[in-house]
Amino acid sequence: MEIGTDSVIKLHNISKSFGTVQANKDVSFELNKGEILALLGENGSGKTTLMNMLSGIYYPDSGAIYAGGTEVIIRSPKDSFDLGIGMIHQHFKLVDVLTAAENIILGLKGSAFINRKRLAKEIREISEKYGFSLDPNKKIYDMSVSEKQKVEIVKVLYRGADVLILDEPTAVLTPQEADILFDMLRKMKEDGKAIIIITHKLNEVLSLSDRVCILRKGELVGELQTKDATIQSLTEGMVGRAVNLEIMRDSGALGDERINVSDLTCLNEDGLKALDAVSFGLRAGEILGVAGIAGSGQKELCESLTGLYPIESGSIKFIEDGHTSELTGFSPTEIAKKGVHLAFVPEDRLGMGLVAGLDMVENIMLKSYHNDRGFLIDRKKPKETAEKLIKSLEIVTPGVSTPVRRLSGGNVQKVLLGREIDSKPSVLIVAYPVRGLDINSSYTIYNLLNDERKEGVAVLFVGEDLDVLLELCDRIMVLCSGRISGIVDAKTATKEELGLLMTEQ
């Protein structure tokens, strides 16, 4: 078949299934030398599966892969590396106790002895060529997220990669770190490298890529030059219909303080401070956003507020109708018995939020079964609730009796969030509530949170998309290494301001 003269990779009619699930169907596209190609699609559209076939993790059921105009067989990551293809995964594959240099050469053939001086020199030359710095002798466990990502990039470059695949490369980076990464990728492009980025951040697609390929339900449904694209056109391509991308922030007056946190300190399993003297207030009718690099104390904050994480010192008070309840040191059951209506959507949906083997009705009953009296439990009302949630949140499920483990990640999140909101809370705590949801469903969730705010609910929203935090929230609290580095007005703050606070020492 014909291959473009600048083509480095060509996929032709690639298909892949897992049992009855068709992950990719007859996908064909070309990647050229000196090009940045963005691969877009909703969760479950087959983006990562497709790239895992290029990187040797999966093998296609049918179709052909061409490298440099020649058909190739990629059955392992080694085959992929031998062809000059390197993939930087969303979750880094590094050994924490080793140095950057040791991780970079790990698995390569060589003599029994490492010439560390020469290795460090080679790593620095690669780093300087693309405009960043990397300490070859630094241990991985001492590195920031962005430093670890640089190690992954140098690892594939050191092995001679001319094709780089990056899966959600900015998911855990601050805006400033993302800008540095983009500068690196542009220099690699100028050097003739071919780059594929998988991302859901459309602003980044428009600013970085040359061309966009859009997948929907495993099929390639669109291919266009980035200069001809808009956020709306890309969104409609992914979803298959027009989507309203506006978050309607309610500008109503805030109520009285509902939650008061004073000098909250929690320790992690190593005895170090996961939260260090955290103090803030959360008002009725307010959405308070929480921003921070992953692992900055978000999980411990949410769980300590809900009685799931031990508190070393400090206090948490709940105020409603002039009555104050101390929540410090009480379990979730004890907090509920105090008459405090708290709802929590944790980051770990099936580990903490829902029971995978139970169906929707049974999972909804977990929230309310203690209200029943006698030996018989009423399933009628929970079933009606489940049917209502399926309709209002567009939950895709064969029925209310299907175990939630059989639902997609996005639909599992809808079940959990819908159940918590249906409990009529006074305080709603949500951690990454749209992670795994498609764009249309994400905006449904944002509107649900806005509706809760209008009802006077105090909402604590932990998020990773700074654009959404700025658009949805009233205030944003930034956590950095377990401490509050700032609380800003979301209406006037900028992403750059938040990024600086996220890395403030």
Side-chain angles (χ1 to χ4, degrees):
M1 70 177 299
E2 281 190 28
I3 304 291
T5 55
D6 288 329
S7 173
V8 290
I9 293 292
K10 173 88 175 185
L11 303 184
H12 180 65
N13 288 346
I14 295 292
S15 295
K16 179 69 179 177
S17 296
F18 298 95
T20 59
V21 178
Q22 181 97 48
N24 294 120
K25 182 180 179 182
D26 296 328
V27 177
S28 299
F29 70 80
E30 203 168 322
L31 176 67
N32 300 313
K33 181 179 180 180
E35 176 184 45
I36 298 178
L37 174 70
L39 194 59
L40 286 184
E42 297 177 323
N43 291 83
S45 62
K47 306 183 300 295
T48 301
T49 298
L50 191 65
M51 292 301 99
N52 279 339
M53 286 186 275
L54 262 184
S55 62
I57 295 173
Y58 297 144
Y59 186 75
D61 298 334
S62 60
I65 299 175
Y66 295 80
T70 304
E71 185 172 355
V72 296
I73 302 297
I74 304 176
R75 293 187 179 274
S76 70
K78 182 182 180 302
D79 291 341
S80 183
F81 270 127
D82 289 344
L83 292 167
I85 302 169
M87 184 166 178
I88 294 92
H89 296 268
Q90 185 175 356
H91 303 289
F92 304 141
K93 301 180 183 300
L94 300 170
V95 181
D96 279 356
V97 296
L98 299 183
T99 65
E102 290 165 343
N103 270 279
I104 287 165
I105 64 167
L106 192 63
L108 293 178
K109 289 182 179 180
S111 64
F113 299 98
I114 301 172
N115 186 333
R116 293 183 179 275
K117 188 173 181 180
R118 187 179 70 187
L119 176 60
K121 181 174 180 289
E122 290 170 342
I123 291 171
R124 287 195 176 97
E125 285 175 353
I126 293 173
S127 303
E128 289 168 4
K129 182 176 182 180
Y130 297 114
F132 64 95
S133 60
L134 179 66
D135 183 354
N137 301 314
K138 193 172 183 179
K139 298 279 190 183
I140 300 299
Y141 59 69
D142 285 328
M143 290 186 172
S144 67
V145 173
S146 63
E147 287 177 306
K148 292 176 184 178
Q149 188 179 64
K150 289 171 186 173
V151 174
E152 288 279 25
I153 291 172
V154 172
K155 185 166 71 173
V156 299
L157 292 173
Y158 186 85
R159 295 160 194 242
D162 290 314
V163 177
L164 281 78
I165 305 166
L166 294 94
D167 190 359
E168 298 287 357
T170 65
V172 290
L173 300 183
T174 67
Q176 289 85 352
E177 290 168 339
D179 288 341
I180 293 170
L181 172 66
F182 292 168
D183 286 341
M184 290 164 49
L185 295 179
R186 291 185 184 105
K187 288 177 181 175
M188 291 176 196
K189 169 189 163 181
E190 291 170 5
D191 194 39
K193 305 292 185 188
I195 299 165
I196 299 175
I197 59 165
I198 302 172
T199 182
H200 68 280
K201 298 181 179 179
L202 301 185
N203 285 322
E204 295 179 355
V205 171
L206 295 176
S207 68
L208 180 66
S209 69
D210 301 297
R211 194 159 49 93
V212 183
C213 286
I214 301 173
L215 293 178
R216 190 192 313 146
K217 296 180 181 179
E219 297 185 60
L220 184 70
V221 296
E223 186 174 349
L224 69 161
Q225 298 295 317
T226 305
K227 62 182 175 58
D228 300 324
T230 64
I231 288 180
Q232 191 68 41
S233 67
L234 294 176
T235 302
E236 291 178 12
M238 286 190 289
V239 179
R241 62 183 184 278
V243 177
N244 181 6
L245 297 178
E246 188 176 4
I247 298 176
M248 302 299 293
R249 175 162 43 199
D250 181 48
S251 57
L254 302 181
D256 295 330
E257 193 170 69
R258 185 67 54 79
I259 289 283
N260 179 272
V261 177
S262 178
D263 292 325
L264 180 64
T265 298
C266 299
L267 306 181
N268 61 23
E269 57 188 17
D270 297 321
L272 303 175
K273 290 181 179 179
L275 291 174
D276 187 2
V278 168
S279 299
F280 66 93
L282 174 60
R283 298 170 69 178
E286 175 184 33
I287 298 182
L288 175 63
V290 179
I293 294 170
S296 295
Q298 298 95 321
K299 180 175 182 289
E300 292 82 2
L301 175 64
C302 293
E303 293 182 11
S304 62
L305 291 176
T306 51
L308 294 167
Y309 199 92
I311 295 169
E312 182 70 12
S313 61
S315 73
I316 303 168
K317 291 182 170 61
F318 174 81
I319 307 110
E320 189 170 32
D321 298 329
H323 179 70
T324 300
S325 300
E326 179 63 55
L327 305 187
T328 314
F330 290 96
S331 69
T333 302
E334 291 167 335
I335 290 172
K337 286 180 178 177
K338 286 173 170 282
V340 176
H341 300 291
L342 256 175
F344 177 34
V345 178
E347 181 179 357
D348 185 359
R349 313 304 185 216
L350 291 178
M352 291 181 64
L354 301 172
V355 178
L358 299 184
D359 62 28
M360 273 189 72
V361 175
E362 292 161 338
N363 271 289
I364 289 169
M365 288 168 63
L366 290 176
K367 188 77 176 178
S368 58
Y369 76 93
H370 55 272
N371 295 329
D372 289 319
R373 297 291 182 264
F375 295 103
L376 299 178
I377 297 176
D378 178 25
R379 288 180 62 95
K380 183 179 179 182
K381 190 173 181 181
K383 184 181 179 184
E384 290 173 351
T385 300
E387 290 169 343
K388 180 182 72 175
L389 294 179
I390 288 173
K391 185 176 181 180
S392 62
L393 298 182
E394 299 179 353
I395 297 170
V396 179
T397 173
V400 296
S401 300
T402 301
V404 295
R405 70 167 179 267
R406 295 185 184 173
L407 306 184
S408 70
N411 285 302
V412 167
Q413 292 185 41
K414 291 181 185 179
V415 172
L416 178 53
L417 184 60
R419 183 191 72 181
E420 295 302 304
I421 288 178
D422 189 72
S423 70
K424 307 298 182 188
S426 297
V427 177
L428 175 62
I429 299 170
V430 292
Y432 310 106
V434 301
R435 184 180 283 172
L437 270 65
D438 58 55
I439 291 176
N440 191 45
S441 298
S442 296
Y443 279 81
T444 298
I445 299 304
Y446 302 147
N447 290 331
L448 279 173
L449 296 178
N450 254 324
D451 291 341
E452 290 300 291
R453 167 170 43 192
K454 292 174 185 176
E455 293 295 320
V457 177
V459 180
L460 187 77
F461 175 90
V462 181
E464 55 196 351
D465 190 322
L466 298 185
D467 289 308
V468 170
L469 285 167
L470 289 167
E471 198 173 345
L472 176 68
C473 302
D474 298 288
R475 292 182 299 150
I476 300 172
M477 177 171 71
V478 183
L479 289 176
C480 180
S481 301
R483 297 183 65 90
I484 294 177
S485 56
I487 300 178
V488 300
D489 185 338
K491 299 180 186 68
T492 57
T494 64
K495 283 202 300 182
E496 290 69 29
E497 182 183 355
L498 293 176
L500 290 171
L501 290 170
M502 287 164 69
T503 55
E504 191 174 278
Q505 300 298 318

